[in-house]
Amino acid sequence: MDPADSNTLHIEVVYSPAAAQVDRVLLRLPAGACLGDAVRASGLCERHALEAESLRTGIWGRMQPLQAVLRDQDRVEMYRPLKVDPKEARRLRYKRSRSATGG
């Protein structure tokens, strides 16, 4: 491993604007960078007209604040807002399946 590389983080930032679509950016950031740095450096907010401060974000599927410090090889995820409450969506699916089966 190159000694100069120990001061560099390799980070992947992803955002899914719609189901089955993923916009992915690979970054090299200085050691000590935080999640917010990765979000800003990715350019995904500008590309998708998002406000970084109001985004829900995470690292490897776990919600994290923008101040969370990154480690090498982290995957930063930007989550889009839910359009339907998950509990309500399950209730509606159940209701549709019951009416389709005649029950």
Side-chain angles (χ1 to χ4, degrees):
M1 185 168 148
D2 183 4
D5 224 22
S6 65
N7 293 324
T8 301
L9 303 176
H10 298 86
I11 304 296
E12 176 182 31
V13 183
V14 295
Y15 176 69
S16 175
Q21 293 180 13
V22 177
D23 195 349
R24 177 177 159 232
V25 177
L26 300 175
L27 299 173
R28 294 177 84 180
L29 297 173
C34 66
L35 195 151
D37 296 330
V39 168
R40 283 186 287 282
S42 73
L44 291 173
C45 288
E46 293 80 12
R47 193 178 311 166
H48 297 283
L50 304 169
E51 293 182 31
E53 292 73 30
S54 63
L55 276 177
R56 293 179 30 184
T57 55
I59 300 171
W60 290 110
R62 304 191 119 205
M63 294 289 293
Q64 297 288 331
L66 291 173
Q67 300 79 20
V69 177
L70 296 171
R71 295 184 298 187
D72 193 36
Q73 302 297 318
D74 271 346
R75 175 186 167 105
V76 170
E77 299 162 345
M78 300 166 45
Y79 308 115
R80 66 179 183 265
L82 297 176
K83 293 182 180 179
V84 178
D85 176 48
K87 289 181 184 178
E88 180 66 14
R90 280 193 299 273
R91 189 184 68 73
L92 292 172
R93 281 194 306 270
Y94 176 76
K95 190 175 182 179
R96 277 195 302 264
S97 71
R98 294 279 299 173
S99 64
T101 61

XYZ file of all heavy atoms in Angstrom:
801
model
N 0.842 -1.190 0.000
C 0.000 0.000 0.000
C 0.879 1.242 0.000
O 1.828 1.343 0.754
C -0.910 -0.023 1.229
C -1.897 1.104 1.258
S -3.123 0.738 2.548
C -3.482 2.367 3.070
N 0.548 2.185 -0.839
C 1.279 3.430 -0.970
C 1.073 4.278 0.286
O -0.054 4.499 0.702
C 0.764 4.167 -2.220
C 1.508 5.450 -2.502
O 2.473 5.755 -1.780
O 1.108 6.154 -3.438
N 2.163 4.785 0.948
C 2.005 5.594 2.159
C 1.154 6.840 1.935
O 0.427 7.252 2.806
C 3.425 5.982 2.542
C 4.326 5.078 1.783
C 3.559 4.561 0.611
N 1.220 7.427 0.753
C 0.407 8.606 0.464
C -1.073 8.246 0.447
O -1.934 9.064 0.714
C 0.812 9.211 -0.876
N -1.360 6.976 0.154
C -2.739 6.512 0.092
C -3.388 6.429 1.469
O -4.595 6.416 1.589
C -2.791 5.151 -0.591
C -3.917 5.060 -1.595
O -4.380 6.115 -2.059
O -4.332 3.933 -1.896
N -2.581 6.348 2.552
C -3.138 6.240 3.891
C -3.842 7.524 4.316
O -4.595 7.527 5.269
C -2.061 5.862 4.904
O -1.114 6.903 4.997
N -3.589 8.624 3.601
C -4.253 9.887 3.887
C -5.444 10.128 2.975
O -6.010 11.217 2.973
C -3.265 11.050 3.753
C -2.193 10.982 4.821
O -2.462 10.582 5.944
N -0.986 11.353 4.466
N -5.817 9.123 2.207
C -6.917 9.257 1.253
C -7.974 8.196 1.531
O -7.655 7.034 1.749
C -6.394 9.076 -0.194
O -5.392 10.057 -0.436
C -7.508 9.252 -1.200
N -9.227 8.616 1.516
C -10.353 7.696 1.670
C -10.973 7.446 0.308
O -11.156 8.374 -0.479
C -11.416 8.305 2.585
C -10.987 8.712 3.986
C -12.143 9.396 4.715
C -10.514 7.502 4.758
N -11.311 6.204 0.030
C -12.021 5.844 -1.193
C -13.477 5.621 -0.789
O -13.772 4.706 -0.016
C -11.422 4.587 -1.811
C -9.993 4.776 -2.197
N -8.958 4.596 -1.307
C -9.437 5.162 -3.356
C -7.814 4.861 -1.917
N -8.071 5.201 -3.164
N -14.353 6.474 -1.285
C -15.745 6.505 -0.846
C -16.671 6.360 -2.048
O -16.417 6.930 -3.111
C -16.059 7.845 -0.123
C -15.102 8.087 1.043
C -17.523 7.923 0.317
C -15.196 7.094 2.170
N -17.742 5.620 -1.864
C -18.791 5.496 -2.875
C -20.021 6.223 -2.330
O -20.420 6.019 -1.185
C -19.118 4.022 -3.106
C -20.250 3.790 -4.071
C -20.587 2.317 -4.236
O -20.414 1.542 -3.269
O -21.037 1.958 -5.320
N -20.621 7.095 -3.138
C -21.845 7.804 -2.756
C -22.936 7.383 -3.728
O -22.724 7.407 -4.946
C -21.664 9.337 -2.802
C -22.923 10.054 -2.337
C -20.467 9.766 -1.963
N -24.090 6.975 -3.196
C -25.186 6.515 -4.054
C -26.488 7.211 -3.703
O -26.732 7.575 -2.549
C -25.380 4.980 -3.963
C -24.186 4.240 -4.506
C -25.680 4.549 -2.556
N -27.305 7.393 -4.742
C -28.651 7.945 -4.588
C -29.542 7.252 -5.608
O -29.143 7.051 -6.751
C -28.663 9.454 -4.828
C -30.049 10.050 -4.786
C -30.760 10.119 -3.589
C -30.655 10.529 -5.940
C -32.034 10.656 -3.550
C -31.930 11.069 -5.899
C -32.619 11.127 -4.706
O -33.878 11.656 -4.664
N -30.741 6.892 -5.183
C -31.692 6.248 -6.080
C -32.860 7.198 -6.312
O -33.737 7.331 -5.454
C -32.189 4.941 -5.454
O -33.185 4.375 -6.268
N -32.883 7.875 -7.463
C -33.963 8.831 -7.725
C -35.324 8.162 -7.931
O -36.358 8.784 -7.736
C -33.509 9.564 -8.985
C -32.532 8.655 -9.632
C -31.900 7.842 -8.545
N -35.330 6.899 -8.319
C -36.575 6.144 -8.530
C -36.245 4.663 -8.393
O -35.080 4.266 -8.426
C -37.147 6.438 -9.914
N -37.292 3.862 -8.272
C -37.094 2.415 -8.141
C -36.277 1.894 -9.321
O -36.479 2.308 -10.462
C -38.441 1.716 -8.088
N -35.329 1.016 -9.042
C -34.462 0.369 -10.034
C -33.511 1.339 -10.735
O -32.953 1.009 -11.773
C -35.290 -0.403 -11.056
N -33.310 2.530 -10.177
C -32.339 3.482 -10.723
C -31.349 3.840 -9.617
O -31.756 4.146 -8.500
C -33.024 4.770 -11.181
C -33.924 4.614 -12.363
C -34.550 5.952 -12.739
O -34.140 7.002 -12.271
N -35.555 5.894 -13.595
N -30.064 3.799 -9.938
C -29.043 4.160 -8.960
C -28.026 5.079 -9.635
O -27.505 4.759 -10.703
C -28.327 2.911 -8.401
C -27.224 3.318 -7.435
C -29.322 1.997 -7.707
N -27.782 6.221 -8.995
C -26.745 7.144 -9.449
C -25.590 6.987 -8.465
O -25.755 7.191 -7.264
C -27.290 8.573 -9.440
C -26.416 9.528 -10.224
O -25.284 9.154 -10.597
O -26.869 10.668 -10.469
N -24.419 6.597 -8.971
C -23.277 6.235 -8.130
C -22.062 7.078 -8.503
O -21.747 7.234 -9.677
C -22.988 4.754 -8.357
C -21.833 4.213 -7.643
C -21.743 2.704 -7.923
N -20.415 2.257 -7.660
C -19.672 1.567 -8.496
N -20.135 1.225 -9.673
N -18.475 1.200 -8.171
N -21.385 7.593 -7.473
C -20.186 8.396 -7.675
C -19.078 7.844 -6.779
O -19.302 7.605 -5.591
C -20.455 9.880 -7.324
C -19.187 10.702 -7.455
C -21.562 10.459 -8.189
N -17.906 7.635 -7.354
C -16.737 7.208 -6.582
C -15.870 8.424 -6.300
O -15.603 9.216 -7.210
C -15.943 6.154 -7.352
C -16.711 4.876 -7.682
C -15.862 3.957 -8.556
C -17.136 4.162 -6.412
N -15.451 8.571 -5.042
C -14.673 9.745 -4.633
C -13.392 9.341 -3.919
O -13.314 8.262 -3.331
C -15.489 10.593 -3.646
C -16.807 11.176 -4.102
C -17.504 11.830 -2.913
C -16.594 12.186 -5.208
N -12.436 10.244 -3.949
C -11.242 10.144 -3.106
C -11.260 11.403 -2.258
O -11.222 12.515 -2.775
C -9.992 10.074 -3.966
C -9.949 8.787 -4.789
C -8.779 8.739 -5.668
N -7.655 8.238 -4.864
C -6.450 8.067 -5.340
N -6.176 8.362 -6.580
N -5.507 7.602 -4.569
N -11.330 11.220 -0.938
C -11.399 12.340 -0.006
C -10.250 12.247 0.989
O -9.729 11.155 1.242
C -12.735 12.308 0.758
C -14.002 12.466 -0.081
C -15.235 12.240 0.778
C -14.050 13.837 -0.713
N -9.884 13.365 1.594
C -8.810 13.318 2.590
C -9.270 12.602 3.861
O -10.459 12.619 4.202
C -8.516 14.792 2.865
C -9.745 15.521 2.461
C -10.370 14.719 1.361
N -8.335 11.981 4.560
C -8.640 11.335 5.838
C -9.274 12.366 6.757
O -8.902 13.540 6.745
C -7.366 10.772 6.451
N -10.261 11.939 7.535
C -10.961 12.848 8.439
C -12.202 13.467 7.830
O -12.920 14.207 8.494
N -12.474 13.165 6.557
C -13.665 13.706 5.896
C -14.919 13.121 6.544
O -14.911 12.010 7.065
C -13.640 13.384 4.406
N -16.000 13.897 6.492
C -17.256 13.428 7.079
C -18.280 13.147 5.977
O -18.052 13.456 4.801
C -17.786 14.437 8.096
S -18.282 16.001 7.372
N -19.378 12.565 6.382
C -20.436 12.189 5.446
C -20.887 13.396 4.620
O -21.078 13.298 3.407
C -21.599 11.594 6.248
C -22.656 10.832 5.487
C -23.250 9.771 6.380
C -23.728 11.755 5.005
N -21.049 14.543 5.257
C -21.459 15.767 4.549
C -20.469 16.172 3.468
O -20.865 16.645 2.403
N -19.181 15.978 3.733
C -18.153 16.284 2.726
C -18.357 15.416 1.490
O -18.248 15.889 0.357
C -16.745 16.039 3.285
C -16.398 16.955 4.451
O -16.913 18.094 4.491
O -15.613 16.518 5.316
N -18.648 14.139 1.710
C -18.852 13.212 0.592
C -20.099 13.582 -0.200
O -20.091 13.560 -1.431
C -18.947 11.779 1.104
N -21.169 13.938 0.503
C -22.414 14.318 -0.178
C -22.172 15.542 -1.055
O -22.555 15.570 -2.226
C -23.545 14.578 0.851
C -24.736 15.255 0.205
C -23.959 13.273 1.523
N -21.493 16.553 -0.499
C -21.221 17.775 -1.272
C -20.289 17.493 -2.459
O -20.521 17.956 -3.563
C -20.622 18.846 -0.364
C -21.657 19.518 0.516
C -21.070 20.675 1.314
N -20.211 20.238 2.403
C -20.640 19.764 3.566
N -21.923 19.647 3.783
N -19.789 19.402 4.508
N -19.236 16.716 -2.238
C -18.262 16.432 -3.289
C -18.848 15.576 -4.412
O -18.388 15.643 -5.551
C -17.036 15.739 -2.700
N -19.871 14.797 -4.112
C -20.450 13.896 -5.115
C -21.172 14.643 -6.237
O -21.274 14.135 -7.351
C -21.423 12.916 -4.460
O -22.625 13.587 -4.086
N -21.707 15.807 -5.936
C -22.473 16.548 -6.939
C -23.880 16.004 -7.141
O -24.628 16.500 -7.996
N -24.273 14.995 -6.377
C -25.590 14.383 -6.560
C -26.729 15.324 -6.158
O -27.812 15.274 -6.748
C -25.685 13.068 -5.784
C -24.810 11.940 -6.325
C -24.843 10.734 -5.396
C -25.250 11.543 -7.729
N -26.498 16.186 -5.171
C -27.547 17.130 -4.767
C -27.887 18.081 -5.911
O -29.064 18.316 -6.197
C -27.121 17.918 -3.530
S -27.111 16.920 -2.036
N -26.868 18.590 -6.566
C -27.095 19.494 -7.688
C -27.753 18.757 -8.860
O -28.676 19.244 -9.487
C -25.778 20.125 -8.157
C -25.156 21.067 -7.148
C -24.390 20.354 -6.040
O -24.124 19.127 -6.144
O -24.058 21.023 -5.046
N -27.275 17.553 -9.140
C -27.776 16.765 -10.260
C -29.253 16.404 -10.106
O -29.983 16.339 -11.083
C -26.940 15.491 -10.394
C -27.165 14.758 -11.692
C -26.286 13.535 -11.817
N -24.896 13.823 -11.504
C -23.979 12.902 -11.274
N -24.288 11.625 -11.302
N -22.732 13.230 -11.005
N -29.686 16.187 -8.844
C -31.069 15.751 -8.592
C -31.897 16.803 -7.858
O -32.990 16.504 -7.371
C -31.059 14.439 -7.799
C -30.433 13.320 -8.554
N -31.066 12.650 -9.571
C -29.181 12.770 -8.470
C -30.260 11.723 -10.063
N -29.114 11.781 -9.419
N -31.395 18.038 -7.781
C -32.093 19.157 -7.129
C -32.500 18.806 -5.701
O -33.664 18.939 -5.311
C -33.294 19.595 -7.959
N -31.522 18.354 -4.897
C -31.764 17.978 -3.499
C -31.084 18.979 -2.576
O -30.086 19.586 -2.937
C -31.180 16.588 -3.218
C -31.651 15.455 -4.114
C -30.792 14.219 -3.883
C -33.109 15.152 -3.845
N -31.623 19.134 -1.362
C -30.992 19.978 -0.363
C -30.255 19.079 0.629
O -30.876 18.284 1.322
C -32.038 20.808 0.366
C -32.696 21.844 -0.525
C -33.692 22.693 0.243
O -33.483 22.916 1.459
O -34.656 23.124 -0.367
N -28.942 19.201 0.688
C -28.115 18.317 1.519
C -28.539 18.352 2.985
O -28.560 17.326 3.655
C -26.645 18.700 1.383
N -28.901 19.520 3.495
C -29.234 19.647 4.911
C -30.537 18.933 5.274
O -30.729 18.535 6.412
C -29.330 21.126 5.311
C -28.000 21.861 5.285
C -27.494 22.140 3.871
O -28.316 22.299 2.949
O -26.271 22.181 3.694
N -31.441 18.758 4.319
C -32.723 18.118 4.625
C -32.736 16.632 4.252
O -33.724 15.949 4.472
C -33.858 18.841 3.901
O -33.698 18.747 2.504
N -31.625 16.141 3.702
C -31.544 14.738 3.295
C -31.389 13.801 4.482
O -30.757 14.143 5.477
C -30.309 14.522 2.416
C -30.418 14.822 0.958
C -29.055 14.609 0.314
C -31.448 13.986 0.281
N -31.938 12.627 4.338
C -31.624 11.536 5.265
C -30.458 10.800 4.629
O -30.475 10.494 3.446
C -32.834 10.646 5.452
C -33.953 11.357 6.174
C -35.163 10.521 6.360
N -34.818 9.112 6.465
C -35.675 8.134 6.554
N -36.940 8.379 6.544
N -35.287 6.877 6.637
N -29.435 10.550 5.426
C -28.218 9.926 4.907
C -27.785 8.777 5.797
O -28.175 8.696 6.960
C -27.068 10.953 4.837
O -26.884 11.533 6.127
C -27.353 12.049 3.822
N -26.964 7.907 5.232
C -26.461 6.786 6.006
C -25.155 6.275 5.439
O -24.706 6.684 4.369
N -24.562 5.366 6.205
C -23.345 4.676 5.785
C -23.638 3.192 5.894
O -24.004 2.710 6.963
C -22.141 5.068 6.672
C -21.888 6.579 6.582
C -20.900 4.279 6.260
C -20.857 7.086 7.579
N -23.512 2.499 4.788
C -23.778 1.063 4.733
C -25.153 0.706 5.332
O -25.283 -0.205 6.136
C -22.682 0.256 5.418
C -21.397 0.270 4.662
C -20.245 0.894 5.020
C -21.123 -0.377 3.412
N -19.278 0.686 4.064
C -19.785 -0.095 3.062
C -21.881 -1.148 2.538
C -19.193 -0.565 1.903
C -21.284 -1.619 1.378
C -19.963 -1.326 1.071
N -26.199 1.479 4.968
C -27.563 1.144 5.377
C -27.945 1.561 6.780
O -29.041 1.247 7.232
N -27.086 2.261 7.472
C -27.394 2.725 8.827
C -27.455 4.242 8.811
O -26.505 4.900 8.387
C -26.343 2.263 9.821
C -26.183 0.760 9.811
C -25.355 0.298 10.939
N -26.256 -0.571 11.700
C -26.143 -0.835 12.964
N -25.180 -0.315 13.665
N -26.992 -1.633 13.562
N -28.563 4.792 9.269
C -28.739 6.246 9.303
C -27.596 6.896 10.090
O -27.215 6.406 11.156
C -30.066 6.598 9.976
C -31.287 6.139 9.199
S -31.557 7.071 7.702
C -31.958 8.647 8.372
N -27.061 7.975 9.528
C -25.965 8.711 10.157
C -26.149 10.198 9.876
O -26.649 10.577 8.819
C -24.607 8.278 9.587
C -24.253 6.835 9.824
C -23.899 6.558 11.258
O -23.405 7.418 11.974
N -24.160 5.333 11.700
N -25.709 11.062 10.793
C -25.768 12.509 10.536
C -24.680 12.930 9.557
O -23.704 12.199 9.346
C -25.537 13.121 11.922
C -24.706 12.100 12.636
C -25.188 10.758 12.122
N -24.827 14.107 8.988
C -23.838 14.615 8.034
C -22.458 14.806 8.673
O -21.455 14.852 7.978
C -24.321 15.939 7.423
C -25.525 15.829 6.494
C -26.019 17.208 6.079
C -25.196 14.991 5.273
N -22.394 14.869 10.010
C -21.119 15.071 10.709
C -20.371 13.757 10.962
O -19.248 13.774 11.463
C -21.352 15.762 12.061
C -21.997 17.120 11.966
C -23.510 17.052 11.755
O -24.156 16.055 12.032
N -24.076 18.132 11.233
N -20.958 12.620 10.624
C -20.312 11.319 10.875
C -19.001 11.221 10.089
O -18.955 11.515 8.896
C -21.247 10.180 10.482
N -17.940 10.798 10.779
C -16.617 10.673 10.150
C -16.577 9.380 9.331
O -17.044 8.334 9.762
C -15.506 10.681 11.222
C -14.142 10.480 10.584
C -15.546 11.994 11.995
N -16.023 9.488 8.128
C -15.953 8.351 7.204
C -14.687 7.533 7.402
O -13.666 8.044 7.877
C -15.989 8.854 5.759
C -17.263 9.570 5.333
C -17.073 10.198 3.967
C -18.439 8.625 5.342
N -14.778 6.267 7.003
C -13.619 5.378 6.963
C -13.413 4.945 5.514
O -14.337 4.981 4.709
C -13.853 4.159 7.853
C -13.972 4.525 9.319
C -14.113 3.322 10.181
N -15.342 2.608 9.814
C -15.821 1.577 10.463
N -15.193 1.098 11.496
N -16.923 0.995 10.082
N -12.220 4.512 5.208
C -11.900 4.064 3.854
C -12.871 2.966 3.415
O -13.224 2.085 4.204
C -10.460 3.558 3.791
C -9.981 3.380 2.367
O -10.369 4.186 1.494
O -9.222 2.426 2.118
N -13.320 3.029 2.182
C -14.218 2.058 1.546
C -15.673 2.160 2.026
O -16.471 1.251 1.774
C -13.714 0.617 1.721
C -12.327 0.368 1.179
C -12.228 0.573 -0.325
O -13.101 0.166 -1.075
N -11.161 1.220 -0.777
N -16.043 3.256 2.706
C -17.433 3.426 3.127
C -18.332 3.671 1.920
O -17.904 4.226 0.909
C -17.587 4.606 4.100
C -17.399 4.212 5.550
O -17.407 2.999 5.850
O -17.251 5.122 6.390
N -19.583 3.242 2.065
C -20.616 3.506 1.060
C -21.604 4.480 1.694
O -22.314 4.138 2.644
C -21.327 2.221 0.670
C -22.501 2.433 -0.281
C -23.230 1.101 -0.487
N -24.504 1.274 -1.132
C -24.760 0.973 -2.401
N -23.807 0.504 -3.166
N -25.954 1.151 -2.899
N -21.635 5.701 1.188
C -22.541 6.738 1.673
C -23.828 6.641 0.862
O -23.797 6.569 -0.363
C -21.905 8.139 1.517
C -22.910 9.236 1.794
C -20.688 8.263 2.419
N -24.948 6.625 1.572
C -26.249 6.502 0.915
C -27.099 7.722 1.217
O -27.174 8.167 2.356
C -26.942 5.230 1.397
C -26.127 3.990 1.056
C -26.517 2.774 1.845
O -27.229 2.906 2.858
O -26.088 1.671 1.456
N -27.721 8.259 0.176
C -28.637 9.386 0.307
C -30.035 8.833 0.046
O -30.276 8.251 -1.004
C -28.270 10.462 -0.721
C -26.856 10.977 -0.534
S -26.196 11.943 -1.918
C -27.502 13.022 -2.338
N -30.927 8.993 1.026
C -32.246 8.385 0.938
C -33.290 9.396 0.482
O -33.366 10.497 1.007
C -32.653 7.808 2.293
C -31.609 6.884 2.873
C -30.944 7.198 4.047
C -31.270 5.700 2.220
C -29.993 6.346 4.577
C -30.308 4.845 2.744
C -29.678 5.177 3.926
O -28.734 4.339 4.440
N -34.128 8.981 -0.473
C -35.206 9.863 -0.923
C -36.366 9.756 0.072
O -36.535 8.735 0.738
C -35.645 9.527 -2.342
C -36.286 8.188 -2.523
C -36.701 7.990 -3.993
N -37.377 6.724 -4.163
C -36.813 5.600 -4.547
N -35.525 5.583 -4.823
N -37.496 4.500 -4.658
N -37.187 10.796 0.146
C -38.317 10.745 1.086
C -39.333 9.693 0.670
O -39.523 9.432 -0.525
C -38.936 12.143 1.008
C -38.159 12.907 0.007
C -37.086 12.044 -0.556
N -39.967 9.081 1.652
C -41.018 8.097 1.366
C -42.275 8.818 0.902
O -42.649 9.847 1.455
C -41.334 7.289 2.629
C -40.208 6.441 3.176
C -40.642 5.784 4.484
C -39.807 5.382 2.181
N -42.920 8.272 -0.115
C -44.168 8.860 -0.608
C -45.367 8.310 0.152
O -46.399 8.939 0.245
C -44.321 8.600 -2.102
C -43.277 9.327 -2.923
C -43.471 9.114 -4.383
C -42.393 9.870 -5.138
N -42.497 9.706 -6.558
N -45.225 7.096 0.680
C -46.299 6.441 1.423
C -45.700 5.840 2.687
O -44.623 5.248 2.648
C -46.947 5.320 0.573
C -48.036 4.606 1.350
C -47.503 5.867 -0.723
N -46.401 5.972 3.794
C -45.977 5.352 5.044
C -45.925 3.836 4.837
O -46.872 3.250 4.305
C -46.974 5.715 6.139
C -46.671 5.029 7.450
O -45.495 5.061 7.869
O -47.595 4.448 8.039
N -44.827 3.169 5.217
C -44.704 1.719 4.996
C -45.857 0.911 5.606
O -46.328 -0.049 5.016
C -43.382 1.356 5.655
C -42.607 2.623 5.676
C -43.614 3.719 5.809
N -46.328 1.305 6.775
C -47.454 0.587 7.398
C -48.718 0.726 6.567
O -49.472 -0.224 6.389
C -47.699 1.106 8.819
C -46.628 0.711 9.792
C -46.955 1.228 11.165
C -45.843 0.911 12.136
N -46.127 1.443 13.471
N -48.942 1.924 6.056
C -50.121 2.162 5.209
C -50.004 1.368 3.914
O -50.988 0.798 3.426
C -50.257 3.661 4.916
C -51.434 4.026 4.055
C -52.786 3.760 4.712
O -52.855 3.537 5.926
O -53.794 3.787 3.974
N -48.815 1.300 3.329
C -48.619 0.545 2.089
C -48.915 -0.938 2.310
O -49.571 -1.575 1.476
C -47.181 0.726 1.587
N -48.454 -1.497 3.432
C -48.751 -2.907 3.744
C -50.248 -3.127 3.913
O -50.807 -4.105 3.438
C -48.007 -3.345 5.012
C -46.569 -3.695 4.776
C -45.957 -4.400 5.958
N -45.957 -3.593 7.162
C -45.007 -2.732 7.500
N -43.975 -2.555 6.702
N -45.089 -2.051 8.618
N -50.911 -2.195 4.608
C -52.351 -2.309 4.829
C -53.100 -2.296 3.497
O -53.999 -3.112 3.271
C -52.842 -1.167 5.725
C -54.289 -1.323 6.184
C -54.763 -0.122 6.975
N -54.891 1.073 6.174
C -55.852 1.290 5.289
N -56.769 0.393 5.062
N -55.900 2.414 4.608
N -52.703 -1.422 2.590
C -53.358 -1.343 1.276
C -53.101 -2.603 0.446
O -54.012 -3.091 -0.229
C -52.880 -0.103 0.516
C -53.329 1.239 1.102
C -52.629 2.385 0.385
C -54.834 1.378 1.041
N -51.862 -3.133 0.485
C -51.569 -4.376 -0.244
C -52.411 -5.527 0.292
O -52.961 -6.323 -0.463
C -50.079 -4.725 -0.153
C -49.204 -3.945 -1.100
C -47.818 -4.550 -1.217
N -47.149 -4.734 0.057
C -46.370 -3.833 0.652
N -46.166 -2.665 0.075
N -45.795 -4.094 1.807
N -52.536 -5.615 1.604
C -53.332 -6.668 2.233
C -54.797 -6.539 1.807
O -55.436 -7.525 1.437
C -53.203 -6.584 3.755
C -54.075 -7.577 4.477
C -53.715 -8.921 4.537
C -55.255 -7.183 5.094
C -54.508 -9.839 5.200
C -56.060 -8.089 5.750
C -55.690 -9.410 5.797
O -56.478 -10.322 6.440
N -55.295 -5.321 1.841
C -56.693 -5.070 1.462
C -56.936 -5.472 0.004
O -57.939 -6.104 -0.324
C -57.018 -3.593 1.671
C -58.470 -3.243 1.544
C -58.663 -1.779 1.888
C -60.113 -1.404 1.822
N -60.336 0.007 2.166
N -55.995 -5.127 -0.891
C -56.136 -5.501 -2.314
C -56.085 -7.013 -2.494
O -56.828 -7.580 -3.271
C -55.038 -4.828 -3.138
C -55.347 -3.416 -3.522
C -54.423 -2.922 -4.629
N -53.014 -3.002 -4.254
C -52.318 -1.987 -3.747
N -52.868 -0.825 -3.557
N -51.044 -2.154 -3.445
N -55.166 -7.676 -1.770
C -55.049 -9.133 -1.928
C -56.298 -9.834 -1.398
O -56.737 -10.845 -1.963
C -53.807 -9.672 -1.246
O -53.934 -9.624 0.155
N -56.881 -9.329 -0.339
C -58.094 -9.916 0.216
C -59.270 -9.764 -0.756
O -60.039 -10.680 -0.958
C -58.468 -9.260 1.549
C -57.486 -9.495 2.661
C -57.644 -10.789 3.324
N -58.979 -10.853 3.929
C -59.476 -11.921 4.484
N -58.748 -13.002 4.572
N -60.682 -11.934 4.993
N -59.379 -8.593 -1.394
C -60.490 -8.381 -2.326
C -60.277 -9.172 -3.612
O -61.236 -9.604 -4.245
C -60.678 -6.899 -2.618
O -59.544 -6.375 -3.282
N -59.018 -9.407 -4.010
C -58.748 -10.177 -5.223
C -59.072 -11.661 -5.049
O -59.434 -12.334 -5.988
C -57.277 -10.001 -5.630
N -58.915 -12.146 -3.815
C -59.190 -13.570 -3.556
C -60.640 -13.797 -3.120
O -61.028 -14.918 -2.862
C -58.244 -14.130 -2.474
O -58.457 -13.391 -1.262
C -56.801 -14.058 -2.904
N -61.410 -12.716 -3.021
C -62.805 -12.841 -2.651
C -63.029 -13.001 -1.166
O -64.100 -13.358 -0.713
N -62.004 -12.714 -0.369
C -62.122 -12.937 1.069
C -62.249 -11.706 1.782
O -62.543 -11.220 2.695
